[in-house]
DNA sequence: ATAACAATTAAACAAATGATTAAATAAATG
DNA sequence: CATTTATTTAATCATTTGTTTAATTGTTAT
C-alpha cells in the first residue's frame, strides 16, 4: 500500500507539473491532469485537496529548483566572479534544456499571484546578499569593472539565458529555425554568454 | 448613432486589450471585459461574435504594433548598423514603458496557439530579409565584427530590451526595487543596451 | 409622427469544470 | 478469516462562464 500510495501521488504530481508548466494555471483543466496521469479524476481531490493546492505544490517545487541553482552558484566561496558567470550560464541553460517551460511558467504565473508564494524563499540572500554580489561590488570598487547597477548584470545574465526559452516559439517561427538548430544555438550560448557578460562589464 | 456606435465598439476593444494583456486569454472572463468597458455583457457578442474573435483582433493589433516598429527601424535605408541598434532599443523600450504587458502577452499566448496568427505577417521580411540583416552580414564579411549567428544578436537585442518587462514582478520582488527606481533603470537601458551590444559583436 | 432599424438590457441557457458522494474494490490488521 | 481501513471508480452536484434570446429603448428616415 505504501508503495502504491506514493506511486499514485507521484503520478498526479508529475502530470500536474507537465500540464501546469505547459499551459499555466488558468488554461489547465483538472481533467487534463487526470488524463495525463492516467488516473480517475476524483483521485486528484483525494490526494490533493484542490486544483489550487496542487498548483501551489508544483509552483513551490519549481521555484525551489530555480533558486537552489542560483544560490548554489552565487554563494560558492571557492569560485571567482568570472567562474560564477560561467557556471551560472552553463548550469542554468542545462536545466532549461531539460525543462524549457520553467521560465515562461514562473514569469506568467507570478504576474497574477503578486507576491504570495515568493516570500517563502530567502531570495534576497540568494542573490543580493550573495557572495557573487560582494565580489561584484569589490570589483567595482577596485576599478576593474564598470560602475553599473548590479540589477543590470542580473537582468542581462538571467535574460540572455532564459529569454531564448521564453521566446522560443516566436523566434523559431520568424527565423524558420528547426528544433535541432535551435538546440545547437542554445548549447553555443552556454559558452558565449559568460564572454559577452565579461565584455560588457569590463572597463 | 455613428459616433456612439464607434464609441461603444472602441470601448469594448480597449477594455479587451487591457484585460487580455494583463491576464491572458484563458484567465480573462468576458464579464471582466464587459465590466472594464462599462457595458452590458451581451454587447460584447453583439459587436464581436465571440470571445475568441475579440481576442484575435487584440492579438493582431498587438503583433502589428510590434512588427511595425521592428520593420521601420530594421528596414531604414538611411541609418547605419549602429544607429539601428540605438533606435531599436530606444523606440522599443519606449513602447514597452507605455504598454509593459506586451512581451509577456505575446510570448505566453503564442505558446498555446502555435503558428496560426503569425503567418499573416511578413515577419521574415521585417527581420531576416531586412536592411539590418544585410548590413550585419556585410560587417561580418568585411571583418569588422565577429562571425556569430545573427540569431544571437536578435535574441540579445530583443531579450535585453524585453526581458526586464517580462521579469518585472520577479525582479522587483527579489531586489526590493520600487516602481520609480525600476523605471529609471529601464530608462538607463535605452542608452546602455546599444553600447553593450556593440561591445559584444565588435572584434 | 410613425415605421423601420440599431443599440441596449435583463434574463436565461448550455456547456465546461472543480469538487463531492456513495458504492465497490483492494489492502492491512488482529 | 473477519474486520477495519485505504484506495479507486462512476455518477452527480454546484458553480462558473461563453453565448443567446426576447423585450426595451434609442435613432433615423419618410
Amino acid at each position: 500500500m505504501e508503495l502504491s500510495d506514493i506511486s499514485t501521488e507521484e503520478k498526479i504530481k508529475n502530470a500536474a507539473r507537465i500540464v501546469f508548466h505547459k499551459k499555466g494555471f488558468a488554461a489547465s483543466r483538472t481533467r487534463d491532469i487526470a488524463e495525463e496521469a492516467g488516473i480517475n479524476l476524483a483521485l486528484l481531490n483525494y490526494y490533493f485537496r484542490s486544483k489550487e493546492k496542487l498548483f501551489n505544490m508544483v509552483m513551490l517545487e519549481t521555484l525551489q529548483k530555480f533558486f537552489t541553482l542560483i544560490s548554489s552558484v552565487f554563494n560558492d566561496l571557492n569560485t571567482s566572479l568570472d567562474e560564477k558567470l560561467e557556471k551560472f550560464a552553463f548550469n542554468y541553460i542545462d536545466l532549461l534544456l531539460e525543462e524549457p517551460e520553467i521560465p515562461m511558467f514562473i514569469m506568467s504565473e507570478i504576474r497574477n499571484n503578486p507576491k504570495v508564494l515568493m516570500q517563502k524563499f530567502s531570495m534576497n540572500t540568494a542573490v543580493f546578499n550573495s557572495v557573487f554580489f560582494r565580489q561584484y561590488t569589490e570589483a567595482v570598487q577596485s576599478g576593474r569593472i564598470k560602475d553599473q547597477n548590479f540589477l543590470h548584470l542580473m537582468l542581462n545574465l538571467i535574460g540572455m539565458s532564459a529569454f531564448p526559452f521564453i521566446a522560443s516559439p516566436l523566434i523559431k517561427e520568424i527565423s524558420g529555425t528547426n528544433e535541432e538548430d535551435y538546440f545547437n544555438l542554445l548549447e553555443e550560448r552556454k559558452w558565449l554568454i559568460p564572454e559577452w557578460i565579461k565584455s560588457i562589464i569590463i572597463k
Side-chain angles (χ1 to χ4, degrees), chain A:
Chain A
M1 193 169 67
E2 280 288 318
L3 276 170
S4 74
D5 276 2
I6 294 170
S7 174
T8 303
E9 196 172 328
E10 279 300 317
K11 267 195 285 182
I12 297 173
K13 201 151 73 176
N14 288 337
R17 197 185 57 245
I18 291 169
V19 175
F20 280 141
H21 277 194
K22 186 150 67 188
K23 318 217 284 180
F25 179 81
S28 297
R29 308 286 107 98
T30 53
R31 283 166 174 80
D32 300 341
I33 298 172
E35 192 183 5
E36 174 77 34
I39 53 101
N40 187 283
L41 173 61
L43 283 178
L44 194 147
N45 290 70
Y46 177 75
Y47 282 100
F48 307 85
R49 288 163 39 84
S50 67
K51 179 190 177 187
E52 206 177 341
K53 290 234 167 55
L54 182 55
F55 175 83
N56 286 341
M57 187 152 298
V58 170
M59 174 58 94
L60 216 69
E61 285 190 10
T62 306
L63 287 175
Q64 195 77 257
K65 190 178 276 189
F66 175 58
F67 283 109
T68 299
L69 187 148
I70 284 202
S71 191
S72 75
V73 172
F74 285 1
N75 287 300
D76 187 339
L77 288 164
N78 300 313
T79 53
S80 68
L81 189 73
D82 284 8
E83 285 169 333
K84 284 186 177 59
L85 296 175
E86 290 157 17
K87 276 207 163 185
F88 177 80
F90 195 92
N91 292 348
Y92 190 39
I93 290 182
D94 250 6
L95 166 67
L96 297 187
L97 282 171
E98 281 174 26
E99 298 193 69
E101 318 274 8
I102 285 183
M104 189 76 241
F105 172 73
I106 293 180
M107 304 302 173
S108 67
E109 295 305 326
I110 279 182
R111 97 177 133 165
N112 301 327
N113 300 32
K115 47 187 70 177
V116 189
L117 275 165
M118 308 296 304
Q119 290 155 339
K120 298 188 178 175
F121 295 91
S122 53
M123 292 163 302
N124 218 44
T125 308
V127 181
F128 283 83
N129 280 353
S130 63
V131 176
F132 181 59
F133 177 70
R134 204 160 356 108
Q135 287 171 319
Y136 180 81
T137 310
E138 282 167 12
V140 169
Q141 282 166 352
S142 76
R144 290 194 293 118
I145 63 176
K146 294 177 192 161
D147 186 7
Q148 287 174 350
N149 194 324
F150 180 66
L151 263 183
H152 284 311
L153 172 59
M154 291 306 302
L155 284 168
N156 292 337
L157 183 58
I158 301 181
M160 278 180 165
S161 307
F163 185 74
F165 291 89
I166 292 172
S168 156
L170 182 72
I171 299 290
K172 281 181 194 158
E173 178 67 23
I174 69 179
S175 70
T177 307
N178 63 34
E179 197 64 48
E180 190 190 344
D181 288 347
Y182 203 73
F183 172 83
N184 290 331
L185 204 84
L186 294 169
E187 281 288 334
E188 264 190 329
R189 290 179 78 84
K190 293 204 279 192
W191 308 99
L192 288 172
I193 289 173
E195 296 308 313
W196 290 334
I197 295 286
K198 286 177 209 167
S199 73
I200 281 177
I201 63 177
I202 209 112
K203 244 178 184 165

